[in-house]
Amino acid sequence: MSSEHIGESSRTARRTPGNVGRSMIGEDIALTLKIVVAGGFGAGKTTLVGSVSEIRPLHSEETLSGNGRGRYETDGMERKGTTTVAMDFGRITVHAGLTLHLFGTPGQDRFRFLWDELYEGALAAIVLADTRRPGDCFAAVDYFERGRIPFVVAVNRFPGAADHTEHDLARALDLDRGTPVVPCDARDRAFGKEVLIRTVEYAGRMHTARPLASVG
């Protein structure tokens, strides 16, 4: 996929508040929504985007350097040899009239300067939590809460990881009340699609509730 195509997708997503690109098809309205996939290094962001995308996903991975590898030599990360340096991009049609553009963010702290650009105009976000290192997603959770961007925490369980419940993880991350925490297997398309649907539904409720609250 060309950079021009991705740029156009991003611009389309910014045309209206809430990142809803609308085009009339007969009497129907086609919606294109931007969803950001965030989380710590190695949490499964690239895997999730790739597993659900109906097009060949765009990845911007580079070989993990010695300096970058240092802090990830334990906790099941020994075999990971690449890291996302810009973004991942994928697309999925949830049903007729609703298409999601997925933007996966870099997990390493040194690429955090890209976040503002990638998060601009997003309807909502998914924070992938690795139960081996749940603290790695603190930065993303804090960013979305401060920016008032609706998000869902998807618990990507790895073999041999501690069996934390969704409730335990919500308390550990000090999530705002009502923030959904859902199980996920980033490798499984059905799991990934269900997480995306939950995210869109939750974002819809949040974006509807805020104007009503301001009127009240």
Side-chain angles (χ1 to χ4, degrees), residues 4-34:
E4 291 82 1
H5 180 85
I6 294 171
E8 178 59 31
S9 298
S10 183
R11 288 192 293 273
T12 298
R14 299 176 191 169
R15 287 174 184 163
T16 57
N19 189 37
V20 180
R22 298 170 182 254
S23 61
M24 301 303 295
I25 302 179
E27 296 182 354
D28 297 328
I29 298 179
L31 301 180
T32 300
L33 308 177
K34 179 180 180 181

Side-chain angles (χ1 to χ4, degrees), residues 58-86:
L58 171 74
H59 300 306
S60 59
E61 292 196 313
E62 297 292 343
T63 301
L64 190 62
S65 67
N67 290 336
R69 184 184 295 275
R71 61 167 297 204
Y72 304 109
E73 290 179 346
T74 59
D75 296 332
M77 302 301 296
E78 298 88 348
R79 296 184 180 180
K80 184 169 176 61
T82 60
T83 185
T84 298
V85 296

Side-chain angles (χ1 to χ4, degrees), residues 167-186:
H167 179 70
D168 290 340
L169 194 59
R171 293 185 59 186
L173 296 176
D174 193 26
L175 298 177
D176 288 343
R177 184 176 180 181
T179 301
V181 181
V182 298
C184 176
D185 184 339

Side-chain angles (χ1 to χ4, degrees), residues 106-212:
Q108 288 190 290
D109 293 344
R110 58 189 172 130
F111 298 118
R112 195 172 295 178
F113 67 92
L114 295 169
W115 283 15
D116 287 343
E117 176 66 20
L118 289 175
Y119 295 160
E120 182 180 352
L123 174 80
I126 298 168
V127 176
L128 272 177
D130 181 347
T131 55
R132 300 169 298 180
R133 300 179 315 280
D136 283 3
C137 63
F138 272 127
V141 167
D142 182 62
Y143 186 98
F144 294 133
E145 287 183 344
R146 286 189 291 107
R148 303 189 70 212
I149 301 172
F151 67 95
V152 167
V153 175
V155 185
N156 194 19
R157 301 192 183 279
F158 289 85
D163 190 20
H164 300 295
T165 68
E166 283 73 32
H167 179 70
D168 290 340
L169 194 59
R171 293 185 59 186
L173 296 176
D174 193 26
L175 298 177
D176 288 343
R177 184 176 180 181
T179 301
V181 181
V182 298
C184 176
D185 184 339
R187 303 165 299 179
D188 188 290
R189 178 179 172 84
F191 254 116
K193 188 173 181 178
E194 179 62 27
V195 171
L196 289 169
I197 292 172
R198 290 284 300 274
T199 302
V200 171
E201 290 175 345
Y202 175 65
R205 293 195 301 270
M206 293 297 292
H207 285 296
T208 301
R210 286 169 182 169
L212 293 176

